[in-house]
Amino acid sequence: MGAANLSASAAVASAVTITHRMILMSDPATAWDVSSRGEAMRMISEKMDAATQGSLDAAFAVGRLAINSATGKMSTDDVAHGLLAIGVAAARPAARRARANAKRLSRT
């Protein structure tokens, strides 16, 4: 998935997820419900997992760019594409989680 598609799908999925979670967590009837607390804990752990995975993926992309640049055969376009690949690699786990959450929360 390209950078533009990744960004757009993550934005839509995030809006859906935030909307569902705001409704769930702002309802006073379910404020002390186990499912609401479970969703809050899930929200935090998913963000930490996605950040960790994104950091690792970005580090591997940096390594690939460094190895490719060591050959001395890279053009300026290759550098730009490599930097974009680092950003996409860093954002992909969070976008994947956002899409999965939007799908899961839309079913409930």
Side-chain angles (χ1 to χ4, degrees), residues 24-94:
L24 177 71
M25 293 181 188
S26 65
D27 184 4
T30 61
W32 299 105
D33 191 38
V34 174
S35 65
S36 293
R37 285 184 290 177
E39 187 64 29
M41 293 304 296
R42 181 179 187 152
M43 183 172 53
I44 294 166
S45 66
E46 284 178 345
K47 283 177 177 49
M48 293 188 64
D49 289 345
T52 302
Q53 187 63 50
S55 296
L56 289 172
D57 292 349
F60 286 127
V62 167
R64 280 191 295 277
L65 182 62
I67 289 170
N68 290 338
S69 67
T71 64
K73 298 179 183 178
M74 290 183 68
S75 69
T76 53
D77 286 346
D78 294 333
V79 173
H81 289 290
L83 293 173
L84 186 60
I86 293 167
V88 169
R92 190 174 288 128

